[in-house]
Structure formats: C-alpha cells, structure tokens
C-alpha cells in the first residue's frame, strides 16, 4: 500500500523538509532556531497545470487524433535519436523515419546551431504532422549547440550559488536558444536529490542533496524555460540520487520505503510539478523498498507511474528514459519494454532501437487485446497536446535560419553563465590562508583529467593574465610513475601547488581520481607543502587526498567556471558559494568560507 504521506500538501511537505535540511546559506545557530520556530506556514499556492494550450490548440489535438489510424497513433509515441551534425546519409534515414514511419518526434544530439536548424527544418518540411523535437540541455544550450551555444555551469553550481533568480535566467536563456534552432522540449531539469556521494552518474547534474533546494531551483529553472516557450520534462523519477549503479549500464535500485521516498526523492518532483512542469521522465530505476527485490524498472512499473498519476495528480506527458540503456536491455527486448512502459502509463518512448519493429509490435499488442486501444489514444493525445503547448499547431515548427546566429550565445546569455560560475565558487577549507595567491608566488599547477584535453587551460591562462606565473603540467589515470617523480622535485621548488581535478559524471565512465595523482597530492599535503585542490567537476574528491589544506570548488571545467576559479584564486572576485552537498566525513552541507577582494 502506498503511504498516506504521498497525500500531504506540497507546502507542508516542503516546510518539513526545510526544517530538517541544511540552509542554502550558513546561518547563525543562535538565531536559526528562533526564526524557524516563529516562521509562519506558507500559504497554499494554486498549482500551474502542465501542457497549457488554447482552445484552438485543444481542437487541433482532437481533430488530428481523429484522422489517425492505429499505426499512426502508435508512431506518434516514438522518438528516435539523431545527431545534430550535417550528415547527408543520416539525414536521409531521418527523413525516412518521418515520412515512412511517421514518428511523433526526434531526440536530437550535438551539432552547430546552423546545422541543427537546417536538419530540423528539413524534417519538419517532410512531416505531415509537426514533429516534437526533444533534447538534453542540462548544461544549457551549449550542451547540444556545440560549438556555438551558451554553456551553463551544471546544476550543482546553481545549488552552490543558491539563487533562484539565476536559475530562472538560465532557464530563460536555454529556452531562447533551443527554440531558435527548432527544439521544443528539454529533458530537464534534473530533479534527483544527490544524497549519495558514491552515485556514479548524477553528481553535479543535481542541484544538491537538500530536497527543498532541488525543488526550489528546479521550479525556478523551468519557469524561465517556459517564459521562452520551451517545454520541460523533469528527471529521473522516482529519483536517481541515492543509487550505486549507472542506469546506462545496469538497473540501479533505491531502497527507501514510501515514507523516505516521499520525504526526499518525491519532494523535488512535487515542487516542480506544482510550478507547472510539462512532463516527467521516468528512469530505469527499481524501487525495491516499495516493490520488493524483484521490482521492475520504474519506467515499466504501473505502481510507480501510478504514484505520478494518482497521489501526485500529474496530468502531463510521461517519457521513458532512453530504451537503449542497460537498465532495460539487460532484462527485456526493446519491443517488450515498450509495451510494458505503455501498459504502465508512459506516453512517449524515448530512443527505442529498431523503432519500426517496435511500432509493429505495439500495433500487434493492441490488435491482440494486450494493450487497450484507449491507452494508445490517451498517450497519443498527450503527445499531440505537447505539440500544441509548444505552439506547433499554429505553424511554428520551422525556424528562420537567418535569425539563428543572432539568437544563440548572445552576450546576455554568456553573462548569465559567467555570473552563475562566479557566484558558485565555494571555498570549503583554507587552513593556511593560501587563498588568494601571492602574486610573487612560484606555482606548480597540475591538472588531472580523464579524457578532457583542454581541462585547466582557461584556469592557467587567467592566472597568467592576473600576474601569477605558474608551470602547468597535465596528468591522468595512465601517467607513469616517472612523471610523478619529476613532479615531486618540481613541487619542492614551488611555493604553492595547485591541483586542479576535472572529473564529471559521464555514461559508462567511473567517477574518481585514479593512477598516481592521489598519492602525489596527498604526500605533498602531508609534508606541509601548501596545496590548493581545485575541483573542476565532482565535489567528492577529498577522500583521495584528505590532507590538502585548501579546497576550492568550481563545479565544472567549462570556460566560465575555470575563469571564475582563477579570479577567486587571484583575489579579484569575491568567494561566496556554499556547499549544496555534504562531503562526508570532511564537510557539511552549507559550509563555505567567504573571501572578499581587498
């Protein structure tokens, strides 16, 4: 039985969470208790409905649906993957999917803004019914409009800055650039509460480990996106933050019972749904604490999607996570997973390999009576309603190629990215007062990265521009011991060693510092050498070198983040960020040292 805790009003739940979560900013312990005790209850705020459209849009949905055959209705639920590159052979395949298979939309990956706009315009010209174009834009439009779009810091940087206005501005900028190239819906914000430091895939993709902060920042981000006309689909329901397995590889499990899920994981989703989020992406995550040891992926679970549709009263569109991921393919065929997802209550099937055969299989399941025809009609109606909510019924599917260049990577959007990066810089510790650097200091700068050849480059350049002369050396997991032997002698001659570490979550790749770097950094710190560790990604690095006397977090290896880290080290910019996660056993959530330019 689902706990009655699922039925609590949103604001009561969030107030409870706020009382037990660390604040976004460090508070005076003598006044915090009194403030919380006397704070009035927040008023109940009417929820904003998802997929808002006008009367003409509703009429278009019903008229279009009435004209579809069963196969056309099923095809509307399918969203194959395409790259954003200008690839003639791939474009021909895409046009076949549109004209022959009549898919409902596409999920698009990386390409330049001009290439993406051209490719998507070609697809829309071929489509009888406008296509709903979907993309992952977690780190802003630059995640897919690459090169050429604005890259935003990851969600955890927004958590460190703690400013909903910045989250809203970032959502607005992302929406503007996405719509300029023909993207209508983003699979974001990430609403996972990253309460598990060992999580291999969420990490800085999350706003943090406070459910209230994740809800608040996620709601602000999607409000900004909506202001630019971009639909939002939060993920990964019911929560991927407290897992130990990457769902690209296998089936992660969440072990919390319904009370725990309601208190932590679902609180973030409730906040975003209340703010009018249009859709939810259901992850390939087994809720074993609720459904037992043989729990199916939530994406295929009537009980888990039923929580969305029942107690959470969500009426928007439900996407599966990508159906080529190990979380489903290790246990099910793609067609069977698609059928089970629809029976569970999903509306849109993301990235199913061999989608023509998947469509055939679903049609056969309807004709045999396994899937009720009404379930297909309900799902197709939601997909069409999403298209109407994006304004596609008014002829807005194609974009103006001439307007693209002036709409992406604008100075205003880049300034948002720079501001977030600067406000997010967090100084977790500085035992010897090494930050800011002395201009005359002899500095050895060692950058560790796994596959990112440019990491640390902007940091090094900005330090030099600020008057700090630093020798820069790159290392990685495979760096030989002889290199570290040489580095030890060079470190002995330096006044300060900066160890910048660029590690970020990526599918099929483990998180963590490996090879000889941890021992090298830890030995330097243990010897008393001033060492400043700078995280350009994952915050969970201190277990690799717990003795470092200074630890600065920049959350990302993008240009804006590295420049902000350099300015903090130089003392030319304030440091005001707070940890949005705990770093056990070293630091608690909410910690952070303020530094102001002298």
């Amino acid at each position: 039985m689902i706990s009655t805790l699922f039925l609590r009003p949103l604001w009561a739940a969030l107030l409870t969470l706020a009382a037990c979560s660390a604040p976004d900013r460090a508070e005076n312990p003598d006044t915090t208790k009194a403030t919380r005790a006397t704070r009035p209850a927040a008023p109940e705020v009417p929820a904003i409905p998802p997929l808002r459209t006008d009367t003409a849009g509703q009429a278009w949905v019903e008229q279009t649906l009435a004209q579809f055959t069963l196969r056309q209705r099923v095809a509307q639920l399918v969203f194959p993957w395409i790259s954003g590159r200008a690839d003639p052979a791939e474009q021909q395949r895409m046009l076949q999917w549109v004209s022959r298979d009549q898919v409902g939309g596409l999920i698009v990956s990386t390409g330049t803004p001009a290439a993406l706009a051209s490719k998507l315009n070609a697809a829309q010209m071929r489509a009888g019914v406008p296509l709903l174009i979907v993309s992952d834009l977690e780190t802003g439009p630059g995640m897919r409009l690459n090169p050429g779009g604005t890259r935003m810091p990851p969600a955890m940087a927004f958590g460190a800055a703690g400013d909903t206005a910045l989250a809203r501005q970032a959502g607005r900028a992302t929406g503007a650039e996405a719509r300029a190239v023909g993207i209508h819906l983003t699979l974001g914000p990430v609403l996972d509460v990253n309460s598990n430091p060992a999580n291999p895939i969420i990490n800085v993709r999350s706003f943090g480990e406070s459910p209230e902060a994740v809800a608040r920042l996620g709601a602000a981000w999607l409000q900004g996106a909506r202001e630019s006309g971009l639909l939002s689909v939060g993920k990964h329901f019911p929560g991927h933050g407290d897992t130990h397995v990457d769902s690209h590889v296998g089936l992660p499990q969440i072990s919390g019972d319904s009370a725990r899920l309601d208190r932590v994981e679902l609180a973030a989703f409730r906040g975003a749904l209340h703010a009018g989020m249009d859709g939810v992406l259901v992850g390939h995550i087994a809720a074993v604490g609720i459904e037992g040891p043989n729990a199916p992926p939530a994406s295929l679970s009537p009980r888990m999607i039923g929580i969305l549709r029942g107690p959470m009263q969500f009426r928007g569109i439900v996407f599966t996570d990508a159906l080529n991921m190990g979380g489903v393919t290790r246990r099910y065929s793609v067609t069977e997973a698609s059928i089970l997802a629809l029976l569970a209550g999903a509306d849109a099937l993301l990235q199913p390999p061999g989608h023509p055969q998947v469509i055939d299989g679903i049609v056969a399941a309807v004709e045999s009576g396994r899937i009720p025809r009404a379930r297909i009609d309900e799902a197709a109606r939601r997909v069409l309603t999403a298209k109407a909510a994006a304004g596609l019924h008014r002829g807005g599917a194609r974009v103006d190629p001439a307007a693209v260049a002036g709409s992406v990577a604008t100075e205003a959007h880049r300034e948002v990215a720079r501001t977030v990066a600067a406000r997010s810089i967090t100084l977790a510790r500085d035992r010897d007062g090494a930050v800011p650097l002395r201009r005359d200091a002899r500095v050895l700068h060692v950058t560790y990265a796994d596959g990112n050849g440019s990491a640390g480059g902007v940091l090094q350049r900005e330090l030099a521009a600020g008057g700090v002369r630093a020798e820069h050396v790159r290392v990685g997991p495979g760096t030989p011991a002889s290199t570290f032997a040489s580095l030890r002698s060079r470190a002995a001659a330096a006044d300060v060693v900066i160890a910048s570490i660029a590690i970020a979550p990526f599918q099929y790749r483990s998180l963590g510092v490996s090879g000889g770097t941890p021992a090298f950094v830890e030995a330097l710190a243990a010897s008393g050498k001033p060492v400043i560790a700078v995280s350009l990604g994952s915050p969970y690095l201190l277990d690799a070198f717990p003795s470092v006397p200074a630890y600065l977090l920049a959350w990302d290896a993008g240009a804006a983040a590295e420049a902000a880290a350099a300015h903090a080290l130089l003392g030319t910019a304030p440091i005001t960020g707070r940890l949005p996660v705990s770093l056990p056993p070293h630091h608690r959530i909410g910690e952070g040292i303020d530094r102001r330019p002298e």
Side-chain angles (χ1 to χ4, degrees):
M1 180 178 294
I2 298 172
S3 167
T4 55
L5 287 170
F6 284 129
L7 303 177
R8 292 184 303 173
L10 169 71
W11 285 105
L14 292 184
L15 284 172
T16 301
L17 289 161
C20 64
S21 301
D24 295 328
R25 286 285 179 266
E27 296 177 341
N28 184 333
D30 296 327
T31 61
T32 299
K33 186 180 295 185
T35 301
R36 286 180 176 159
T38 59
R39 183 178 295 151
E44 187 69 34
V45 178
I48 300 172
L51 300 178
R52 291 161 302 287
T53 187
D54 54 20
T55 303
Q58 295 167 6
W60 176 84
V61 169
E62 296 305 323
Q63 291 165 5
T64 305
L65 185 63
Q67 295 169 5
F68 281 159
T69 65
L70 171 60
R71 184 179 180 82
Q72 288 171 321
R73 294 177 190 214
V74 170
Q76 283 294 300
L77 317 182
V78 173
F79 289 75
W81 178 93
I82 60 165
S83 80
R85 301 187 306 271
D87 181 333
E90 185 188 55
Q91 181 149 325
Q92 283 304 114
R93 290 195 300 273
M94 174 193 73
L95 295 177
Q96 269 197 330
W97 300 343
V98 173
S99 57
R100 180 195 66 196
D101 303 329
Q102 300 179 52
V103 296
L106 301 165
I107 175 169
V108 63
S109 188
T110 306
T112 66
L116 266 167
S118 174
K119 195 170 194 175
L120 296 177
N121 273 352
Q124 296 290 9
M125 288 179 68
R126 184 68 65 92
V129 174
L131 298 160
L132 184 66
I133 305 301
V134 177
S135 192
D136 271 311
L137 302 170
E138 291 179 21
T139 52
M143 180 172 177
R144 293 298 178 226
L145 311 185
N146 186 16
T150 303
R151 174 169 172 168
M152 295 288 174
M156 200 167 281
F158 290 87
D163 189 336
T164 54
L166 285 177
R168 191 165 184 165
Q169 291 171 32
R172 190 182 301 122
T174 299
E177 295 191 26
R179 289 305 303 250
V181 301
I183 295 169
H184 313 121
L185 181 151
T186 185
L187 302 174
V190 174
L191 296 171
D192 302 310
V193 178
N194 203 72
S195 57
N196 179 3
N199 190 308
I201 192 60
I202 301 302
N203 200 276
V204 292
R205 298 167 67 195
S206 164
F207 289 109
E209 73 178 56
S210 160
E212 187 274 340
V214 174
R216 187 167 48 81
L217 291 164
W221 190 95
L222 72 90
Q223 287 165 354
R226 181 170 62 237
E227 290 163 2
S228 292
L230 184 66
L231 304 180
S232 57
V233 173
K235 60 187 180 186
H236 306 80
F237 187 87
H240 207 331
D242 190 13
T243 58
H244 292 82
V245 174
D246 176 1
S247 55
H248 295 89
V249 177
L251 182 62
Q253 297 181 346
I254 47 175
S255 58
D257 61 14
S258 59
R260 148 74 194 216
L261 224 63
D262 182 73
R263 187 176 68 253
V264 180
E265 283 79 9
L266 298 189
F269 284 91
R270 279 198 304 270
L273 295 181
H274 202 75
M277 189 164 66
D278 299 289
V280 172
L281 182 145
V282 182
H284 307 315
I285 305 159
V288 296
I290 293 177
E291 298 203 81
N294 298 316
S299 52
L300 315 185
S301 167
R303 186 170 183 181
M304 298 312 297
I305 296 179
I307 291 172
L308 265 178
R309 296 299 191 198
M312 297 181 78
Q313 301 181 29
F314 178 58
R315 298 297 177 260
I317 189 168
V318 172
F319 276 77
T320 68
D321 208 342
L323 290 168
N324 64 345
M325 294 169 64
V328 288
T329 59
R330 287 176 177 267
R331 293 177 61 178
Y332 309 91
S333 71
V334 177
T335 297
E336 180 65 11
S338 300
I339 290 170
L340 291 172
L342 292 171
L343 287 170
D347 305 307
L349 306 172
L350 199 62
Q351 214 169 318
H355 68 267
Q357 292 72 41
V358 171
I359 294 171
D360 290 341
I362 294 170
V363 169
V366 176
E367 291 175 339
S368 71
R370 184 180 180 191
I371 301 178
R373 175 70 177 256
R375 174 77 271 271
I376 299 299
D377 292 349
E378 176 186 50
R381 181 175 284 109
R382 286 206 182 97
V383 171
L384 290 172
T385 301
K387 295 181 180 187
L392 304 188
H393 65 295
R394 296 192 294 266
R398 280 183 280 168
V399 300
D400 178 3
V404 170
S407 302
V408 301
T410 65
E411 176 57 27
H413 295 169
R414 294 199 303 270
E415 180 59 23
V416 173
R418 290 191 292 265
T419 301
V420 175
R423 294 271 300 279
S424 72
I425 297 295
T426 304
L427 185 60
R429 66 169 66 160
D430 187 15
R431 293 170 183 158
D432 301 330
V435 179
L437 294 165
R438 296 194 333 266
R439 291 298 192 278
D440 61 350
R442 294 169 297 174
V443 178
L444 173 65
H445 176 198
V446 180
T447 296
Y448 173 96
D450 183 3
N452 184 349
S454 64
V458 173
L459 174 58
Q460 175 71 9
R461 185 189 72 204
E462 292 295 314
L463 287 175
V468 171
R469 298 176 61 85
E471 179 186 4
H472 191 202
V473 180
R474 297 183 187 278
V475 297
T479 299
S482 58
T483 298
F484 288 106
S486 171
L487 284 175
R488 280 191 288 273
S489 64
R490 287 139 85 178
D495 297 315
V496 180
V497 175
I498 297 173
S500 59
I501 313 292
I503 298 175
F506 191 77
Q507 58 198 48
Y508 313 114
R509 184 186 297 169
S510 62
L511 278 168
V513 190
S514 58
T517 301
F520 167 72
V521 174
E522 178 64 7
L524 287 179
S527 71
K529 173 66 66 175
V531 177
I532 305 171
V534 179
S535 169
L536 303 177
S538 172
Y540 304 108
L541 303 179
L542 286 178
D543 283 348
F545 26 76
S547 299
V548 291
Y551 187 37
L552 187 82
L553 298 100
W555 313 104
D556 186 31
E562 290 199 17
H567 300 158
L569 290 169
L570 291 166
T572 57
I575 301 174
T576 59
R578 294 291 184 270
L579 289 173
V581 292
S582 55
L583 308 178
H586 313 286
H587 296 281
R588 295 178 300 172
I589 185 173
E591 289 186 5
I593 301 168
D594 282 356
R595 288 283 159 82
R596 304 284 176 179
E598 295 181 357

